[in-house]
Amino acid sequence: MDRQFTLKDLVLFATLGLLIVLLLVAMYMVDRQWLKLAAMEHSLQEQAQDMRALRGQLGELERRIRSGEVVAGATGETTAAQQGDAFDRAYAASRQPDYAEGDWVVTAFGTGLQTITPLVSSDAYASQVQSHVLESLLTRDPQTLEWVGLLARSWQVSDDGLEFTFQMHPEARFSDGEPLTANDVAFTFAFIMNPRIAAPRERAYYSKIESVTATGTHEVVFRFREPYFNALSLAGGLAVLPQHFYAPYLENPEAFNQSKGLLLGSGPYRLGDARGWTPDQGLVELERNPRYWGRVQPPYERVIWRIIENDSARLTTFRNGDIDTYSARPLEYRRLLDDAALSARARHFEYMSPVSGYSYIAWNQGSAERPSPFADRRVREAMTWLTDRQRIIDEVFLGYAEVAVSPFNPRSRQHDPALKPRGFSIEKARALLREAGYDDRDGDGVIEDAEGRPFRFELTFFQDSEDTKRMVLLLRDIYARAGVLLEPKPTEWSVMIEAIQKRDFDAITLGWTSGLETDIYQIFHSSQIEGQADNYVGYRNPELDRLIDQARATVDEDARMPLWQAAERILHEDQPYTFLMRRQQLLFVDRRFSNLEITRMGLNFQMLPVETYVPAPEQKYPR
Amino acid sequence: MTDVARMRQRSYSARIAREVLGAWGARIGLAWILLLAGVAVFAPFLASSHPWLLSREGSIQSPVLAHLTAGDVMLLTAFLAMLILWRLHLALYRKGLILLAAVLLAGLAGGAWLKPPQIVIYEQYREAERAGVYDWVLHAPIPYSPKDYLRDVGQTGLQGPLAHAQHRHWMGTEENGADVLSRMIHASRIALGIGFVATGIAMVLGVIIGGLMGYFSGIVDIIGMRLVEIFEAIPQLFLLLTFVAFFGRSLYIMMVIIGLTAWPGYARYVRAEYLKLRRQDYVQAAVAAGIPLTSVLFRHILPNGVAPILVAASFGVASAILAEAVLSFLGLGLVDDPSWGQMLSQAVKSSTFNWWMALFPGGAIFLTVLAYNLIGESMRDAIDPYLKKSR
């Protein structure tokens, strides 16, 4: 039976039709909204870009005006401070014809990070991340090594050398938009010195400062307790923390001390979520700070550090183009140089970084009650004569290193060029050991002390370092020729730290990083033996103590350098460590990066302000 | 034990042995193990930088003998003693006792009289030979010691087989420049030693605890089984990693830890056998005759229940070798003493694939583990008739 098409059906169909039409119209509307939104986003991005450019021009203009003033009123300021600022090199880079903004920098860390919160973190990786986010008042020019202003526009030193006054850039802002003022600097110091904050190392370091006072919105005064040679670097290197962000944690210091990623600053990059980073992400990703105040805006959109612990995995990732740098071991480097596919996409750099430091063998002298064989200066000197450093460099490090004479870099003025490293001589070593009472008394080839105990010691080293292991095995074979028994003791990192703190080792091989002017107080001053301080070999020399104290209190560089050199001569004489070598950095960097240059501070690849860039046609990552 | 009982026992073990050796897999496996054992015993003579014999201004010296250690002497004695005892008609446990006594005696004598130089300079012979000091020299077949890094030749290491014209390395060199074949030969000692000692410790513990549990049952069994469960829950590899991190690397500690964590498996087997056997008439008779408990447990019951443990032990040896290899592969083995796992880990070092470091040590680990498994399987087939029937 046919059903009739009734009025009810008509209404139903009409409603249905209407609904469909409405739906179509709605879809069209939504689509138009999306398009509109994309257009708005695009124009916003353009505006942001314009604003960055404008900010850059403004900064440049301001600099010109001020330098004009300085020329006009040449009698005005008398400090040696006004020699351009930190952005000069980056500005020059941004004037290059192929300069372009955009692209990402992706590199890798070899070990996982526990935390990137400033003060709480202690490793070099975390400080590399922080250097992109936090800024200090001054920085060093990588080529001249002079201090130049970053957050500070100018600065003066009082006549007694105890007071440092900084005038800051008024336009400086944190990445959340809050202005950066002198109060933030004073707060940072107060924050570090607060005993409830877990920053004992920084506190010890900054305890030379008596007070930090904001004398105006953009002027801050550092006052020191006593003259200190590194005072400017101490004051100027203080990474400024935002008061409005960190102050609430004074109420609840535990939340700060145990935090993983509380990082906010005024630097060119920022964390997407300033409180949200956690170690389990397996990478650190920074995005460009859209409100960066600096005269030159950083070129890269993102800076990413991936965590790849395995060496060969890191190399494979680099080969695949997923990370942009690879730092190679000497043997590997030699092989990779012949790799055509790799050299097609990466440039290689070998350079000696002045801050990379030196490696050494530390001889534990034992305690005053129970001295070890190494408490005798002649034994330590004999060990240095036996340590064939040139051979280690040639055979283990394939020549990519230089012999270290002392803790001071040979390129620095702290080093006395007249001092030459001891060479290799079994005869001299044997003679010294005989003098110290060690001789082969039973004819078995091993030397014994007066009671007939053989000269045998354990050399503790980090178990995961292949090159160190090779070196230790080589040393064992060399020492054997003089009748000295070396027993290699590979150790896990945490166990090694514990052994150092308990002074429970015979000899240990490690490295210290160093600065441009190395302060040896922590490592060799006898006041640093007690507790768990860094003079863990128990080395004591009153004359050296006096020289170190005097040098640290001498602000005048020309008067200070002879004191350091005298200290160096004592160290050379006493050999509390056998200084091994300074190693070159062997680095591969992706070819798309432009303006790479080896400065006196090392390669400028991740130096700040950023002065490298990727030309537009070679950019790899989307904007 | 009466002669009849001994005859029966011997014939049973002889039957099992015949049946096991009837299988081709077990024959090949046994041949490989024997080859390894021979190589391990004579390692210092097969591969050594110290020449066998040399004549220096008319006087004849043997540096190899001068460098023998107490350990070497113990191994050699054990080997000779086994050869002699093989032909003698004695009860198995007496043979074992004599062997143990001989080895201990040799160890003590070696420790007392042998004074191998503490300082070894491997290059001295090559240097002296080059300088023409010796009248003639008789070298070992492989003239390199495992820890001789050939510093005088200036080798950088990781060279493929036969890459060097003057210094032939049949299996190439490892990362420090030492000869791989020599290290392989000396590493067979570690592989066999760790397998036997660790499994031995585990077996002794397992038999004692499992035997007591099975024989007494009841409350002893309940407590014992909880102990077994606790020990089974310990992850062996992580325990090893922790110990190595805090107490340094020692082969003996590794053996003891593997042994101390592997016994619950054996204890379960023994317990089951004892539960089955303790109500048998001959056990009841032995108890009624007033024979002491240790005799009942280990001289009357154990010989009748030992078969399944031997099967488990052959698998246990394989897993102990693997555990050491894994540890060495992770870089936590011995410092520069040769080990297959440690060599295997060098296969992918320094950005290249070094095939000889993968093939030879990897192959040796594979073959040894396979050999023990083949022997274990055919032993199981011989002992457990039901299993065989169900195939």
Side-chain angles (χ1 to χ4, degrees):
Chain A
M1 194 181 77
D2 279 14
R3 283 197 58 198
Q4 291 291 313
F5 187 77
T6 61
L7 192 68
K8 213 171 91 186
D9 290 333
L10 185 72
V11 172
L12 199 73
F13 275 107
T15 321
L16 210 68
L18 197 69
L19 270 177
I20 290 173
V21 169
L22 275 176
L23 199 72
L24 280 174
V25 170
M27 278 165 71
Y28 179 67
M29 283 295 289
V30 169
D31 197 46
R32 264 183 51 168
Q33 278 172 5
W34 275 115
L35 282 175
K36 194 85 184 158
L37 210 65
M40 270 160 67
E41 204 174 358
H42 183 70
S43 72
L44 258 177
Q45 218 168 37
E46 280 184 335
Q47 275 185 24
Q49 217 169 335
D50 288 348
M51 222 146 83
R52 274 205 304 273
L54 210 63
R55 207 173 272 146
Q57 283 168 1
L58 259 176
E60 176 62 15
L61 202 65
E62 198 224 308
R63 194 187 67 89
R64 283 206 193 135
I65 290 170
R66 279 200 296 111
S67 60
E69 276 174 1
V70 170
V71 172
T75 51
E77 290 167 272
T78 49
T79 55
Q82 300 291 332
Q83 305 152 323
D85 69 14
F87 294 101
D88 285 350
R89 288 171 58 90
Y91 181 75
S94 71
R95 296 292 105 179
Q96 305 254 2
D98 60 347
Y99 179 84
E101 287 191 356
D103 218 11
W104 303 358
V105 179
V106 187
T107 48
F109 284 155
T111 56
L113 289 166
Q114 287 307 309
T115 166
I116 54 170
T117 305
L119 307 180
V120 179
S121 65
S122 61
D123 54 308
Y125 290 145
S127 72
Q128 203 187 332
V129 173
Q130 287 155 14
S131 74
H132 282 73
V133 178
L134 303 175
E135 285 181 315
S136 52
L137 291 164
L138 304 181
T139 185
R140 290 236 193 218
D141 183 287
Q143 208 55 274
T144 62
L145 303 184
E146 295 293 335
W147 287 106
V148 288
L150 186 61
L151 284 171
R153 209 161 54 172
S154 59
W155 64 96
Q156 298 85 34
V157 190
S158 70
D159 290 335
D160 58 358
L162 290 178
E163 230 173 63
F164 293 77
T165 312
F166 295 88
Q167 287 80 35
M168 295 156 62
H169 278 287
E171 69 273 23
R173 248 158 232 290
F174 291 110
S175 60
D176 59 354
E178 295 283 327
L180 188 156
T181 64
N183 282 329
D184 291 298
V185 183
F187 162 77
T188 305
F189 178 70
F191 192 70
I192 292 172
M193 297 317 278
N194 189 321
R196 295 172 71 198
I197 298 297
R201 194 172 290 116
E202 278 83 1
R203 249 199 310 283
Y205 193 55
Y206 285 107
S207 62
K208 287 209 171 283
I209 302 180
E210 188 181 299
S211 67
V212 178
T213 343
T215 49
T217 355
H218 296 111
E219 190 177 81
V220 66
V221 178
F222 286 71
R223 184 159 181 86
F224 281 77
R225 290 179 203 282
E226 58 202 69
Y228 179 48
F229 80 97
N230 237 351
L232 185 62
S233 114
L234 203 60
L238 182 72
V240 180
L241 304 176
Q243 181 169 17
H244 65 275
F245 184 79
Y246 287 101
Y249 291 99
L250 286 174
E251 307 288 316
N252 185 9
E254 273 316 295
F256 177 82
N257 294 343
Q258 285 170 15
S259 65
K260 302 295 174 205
L262 285 177
L263 185 57
L264 182 79
S266 57
Y269 290 90
R270 67 172 185 187
L271 274 176
D273 173 6
R275 294 171 211 266
W277 186 84
T278 49
D280 54 15
Q281 293 172 4
L283 58 88
V284 184
E285 181 169 341
L286 298 183
E287 57 181 37
R288 175 153 58 186
N289 174 5
R291 301 194 182 94
Y292 188 51
W293 62 274
R295 176 151 72 89
V296 183
Q297 297 291 314
Y300 306 115
E301 293 281 335
R302 276 167 205 282
V303 180
I304 297 171
W305 291 271
R306 294 174 57 184
I307 288 155
I308 308 174
E309 304 203 359
N310 183 294
D311 282 347
S312 29
R314 202 159 52 243
L315 178 61
T316 312
T317 322
F318 178 65
R319 274 184 197 280
N320 295 342
D322 292 337
I323 54 174
D324 295 327
T325 61
Y326 181 73
S327 173
R329 293 169 42 208
L331 205 65
E332 202 180 19
Y333 180 73
R334 186 66 63 83
R335 272 172 214 204
L336 289 176
L337 283 185
D338 300 333
D339 191 323
L342 200 69
S343 51
R345 71 160 283 257
R347 294 169 67 187
H348 56 89
F349 295 92
E350 314 158 12
Y351 59 93
M352 195 68 84
S353 164
V355 290
S356 73
Y358 56 94
S359 57
Y360 58 82
I361 304 177
W363 309 107
N364 191 357
Q365 305 193 7
S367 56
E369 305 87 60
R370 244 167 11 95
S372 78
F374 301 120
D376 191 329
R377 188 195 62 78
R378 290 166 297 193
V379 174
R380 296 195 303 268
E381 197 188 339
M383 296 315 289
T384 303
W385 280 114
L386 273 183
T387 308
D388 193 347
R389 290 172 282 190
Q390 197 53 52
R391 188 163 168 201
I392 294 173
I393 289 171
D394 290 344
E395 286 187 16
V396 179
F397 299 101
L398 305 180
Y400 296 113
E402 66 181 24
V403 174
V405 194
S406 76
F408 300 138
N409 195 307
R411 288 158 202 75
S412 93
R413 283 184 62 203
Q414 287 178 292
H415 171 68
D416 177 1
L419 280 187
K420 293 280 172 270
R422 289 183 179 77
F424 169 66
S425 163
I426 290 193
E427 288 72 39
K428 281 185 180 141
R430 277 220 184 99
L432 278 164
L433 285 168
R434 206 170 295 131
E435 220 177 283
Y438 290 92
D439 211 344
D440 187 3
R441 290 164 217 275
D442 54 5
D444 65 350
V446 187
I447 55 172
E448 291 95 11
D449 64 5
E451 281 107 68
R453 281 172 305 196
F455 191 167
R456 170 197 298 274
F457 71 94
E458 280 182 346
L459 179 57
T460 306
F461 64 99
F462 178 47
Q463 63 182 18
D464 288 352
S465 165
E466 290 295 329
D467 291 325
T468 310
K469 194 182 122 191
R470 283 167 67 93
M471 182 187 83
V472 171
L473 290 180
L474 173 62
L475 283 180
R476 183 188 62 185
D477 288 1
I478 300 177
Y479 290 170
R481 296 208 167 218
V484 176
L485 288 172
L486 181 157
E487 282 173 24
K489 190 177 179 193
T491 314
E492 212 204 356
W493 185 249
S494 54
V495 181
M496 205 155 156
I497 300 295
E498 202 182 309
I500 288 177
Q501 286 175 349
K502 287 185 179 164
R503 321 291 205 234
D504 177 23
F505 63 95
D506 297 335
I508 202 163
T509 176
L510 265 176
W512 285 118
T513 55
S514 58
L516 287 174
E517 184 169 339
T518 311
D519 188 358
I520 53 175
Y521 176 78
Q522 268 95 345
I523 302 171
F524 295 116
H525 198 280
S526 62
S527 69
Q528 301 296 306
I529 299 175
E530 297 306 320
Q532 292 182 348
D534 282 338
N535 185 352
Y536 53 77
V537 291
Y539 171 63
R540 226 175 261 279
N541 185 326
E543 173 65 13
L544 183 74
D545 287 355
R546 194 184 59 75
L547 280 169
I548 292 176
D549 289 335
Q550 204 181 336
R552 276 162 60 91
T554 309
V555 178
D556 177 17
E557 195 173 310
D558 291 324
R560 183 170 72 238
M561 289 306 162
L563 294 171
W564 284 136
Q565 294 189 354
E568 187 188 29
R569 280 191 289 275
I570 290 179
L571 286 175
H572 187 73
E573 197 64 31
D574 271 2
Q575 294 289 312
Y577 289 178
T578 289
F579 299 96
L580 293 173
M581 67 225 134
R582 293 169 189 280
R583 290 176 56 182
Q584 284 185 352
Q585 300 286 319
L586 306 171
L587 193 69
F588 288 91
V589 184
D590 196 290
R591 273 195 192 278
R592 68 178 204 277
F593 292 98
S594 254
N595 204 30
L596 288 178
E597 184 193 355
I598 292 173
T599 67
R600 285 176 67 194
M601 294 273 269
L603 189 69
N604 64 353
F605 182 53
Q606 288 212 321
M607 226 169 243
L608 290 151
V610 186
E611 51 189 65
T612 59
Y613 58 92
V614 180
E618 286 168 54
Q619 292 191 357
K620 186 170 157 187
Y621 294 95
R623 300 207 63 172
Chain B
M1 204 189 282
T2 64
D3 277 340
V4 180
R6 192 182 297 150
M7 283 302 289
R8 196 182 300 139
Q9 184 200 337
R10 188 181 295 159
S11 72
Y12 176 69
S13 54
R15 192 165 54 82
I16 295 289
R18 209 170 43 240
E19 216 164 311
V20 167
L21 290 180
W24 266 105
R27 279 191 209 172
I28 296 171
L30 201 65
W32 173 253
I33 302 294
L34 285 178
L35 176 73
L36 271 192
V39 164
V41 168
F42 292 105
F45 297 102
L46 285 175
S48 174
S49 294
H50 312 297
W52 278 359
L53 275 178
L54 60 84
S55 163
R56 183 174 195 160
E57 291 154 8
S59 73
I60 292 179
Q61 300 165 340
S62 172
V64 166
L65 290 180
H67 283 87
L68 277 191
T69 62
D72 296 331
V73 175
M74 274 163 81
L75 273 180
L76 284 168
T77 318
F79 187 78
L80 283 178
M82 264 203 265
L83 273 189
I84 296 165
L85 290 171
W86 184 264
R87 287 286 151 209
L88 290 182
H89 289 284
L90 280 174
L92 202 62
Y93 75 98
R94 283 207 185 136
K95 282 187 187 177
L97 278 183
I98 293 174
L99 186 66
L100 200 66
V103 169
L104 280 180
L105 213 65
L108 285 176
W113 286 318
L114 285 181
K115 287 273 176 283
Q118 282 182 295
I119 283 195
V120 186
I121 297 163
Y122 297 105
E123 298 97 298
Q124 59 178 338
Y125 309 107
R126 286 191 294 269
E127 278 163 9
E129 208 177 339
R130 250 175 262 139
V133 176
Y134 303 142
D135 307 329
W136 48 263
V137 188
L138 187 57
H139 284 294
I142 295 130
Y144 308 105
S145 284
K147 296 192 206 174
D148 181 356
Y149 298 117
L150 297 161
R151 306 235 187 256
D152 55 325
V153 190
Q155 294 217 352
T156 49
L158 285 178
Q159 283 178 320
L162 303 177
H164 211 280
Q166 284 170 327
H167 297 269
R168 278 175 177 276
H169 301 289
W170 299 104
M171 293 186 182
T173 58
E174 51 91 82
E175 61 178 358
N176 289 320
D179 183 63
V180 171
L181 180 54
S182 167
R183 285 177 84 78
M184 292 277 298
I185 287 173
H186 285 261
S188 62
R189 289 181 157 195
I190 289 180
L192 291 180
I194 200 158
F196 278 119
V197 175
T199 312
I201 294 173
M203 260 175 78
V204 168
L205 278 175
V207 165
I208 293 173
I209 298 175
L212 290 173
M213 267 160 35
Y215 185 77
F216 290 110
S217 69
I219 187 78
V220 179
D221 191 27
I222 289 172
I223 295 172
M225 280 310 280
R226 298 297 86 76
L227 196 68
V228 164
E229 278 157 14
I230 290 170
F231 269 83
E232 273 182 343
I234 297 175
Q236 194 185 53
L237 189 65
F238 291 101
L239 191 70
L240 280 171
L241 289 176
T242 318
F243 261 79
V244 164
F246 286 99
F247 300 102
R249 300 133 188 255
S250 157
L251 197 59
Y252 304 105
I253 289 186
M254 274 187 225
M255 289 176 182
V256 170
I257 292 174
I258 296 177
L260 285 184
T261 47
W263 64 265
Y266 303 103
R268 280 173 181 272
Y269 276 113
V270 179
R271 167 181 172 270
E273 285 296 313
Y274 274 51
L275 279 176
K276 192 172 75 190
L277 295 172
R278 70 190 177 117
R279 294 281 171 234
Q280 299 269 322
D281 291 344
Y282 72 92
V283 180
Q284 299 291 336
V287 175
I291 293 170
L293 181 65
T294 47
S295 290
V296 175
L297 278 180
F298 301 117
R299 290 188 63 178
H300 291 81
I301 308 185
L302 186 61
N304 296 292
V306 79
I309 311 168
L310 290 179
V311 178
S314 69
F315 293 114
V317 172
S319 78
I321 291 175
L322 271 184
E324 191 275 332
V326 167
L327 212 59
S328 299
F329 184 83
L330 293 176
L332 295 165
L334 304 163
V335 185
D336 64 337
D337 285 322
S339 144
W340 292 340
Q342 176 240 350
M343 278 186 273
L344 187 59
S345 74
Q346 294 177 15
V348 287
K349 279 280 165 63
S350 70
S351 70
T352 44
F353 179 64
N354 311 303
W355 63 268
W356 62 98
M357 298 307 289
L359 182 67
F360 301 123
I365 295 173
F366 169 73
L367 283 178
T368 311
V369 172
L370 179 72
Y372 278 113
N373 281 331
L374 284 176
I375 295 172
E377 259 185 46
S378 58
M379 238 189 324
R380 189 182 59 204
D381 290 350
I383 288 163
D384 197 341
Y386 297 105
L387 198 73
K388 199 160 53 173
K389 250 178 244 163
S390 69
R391 278 196 169 172

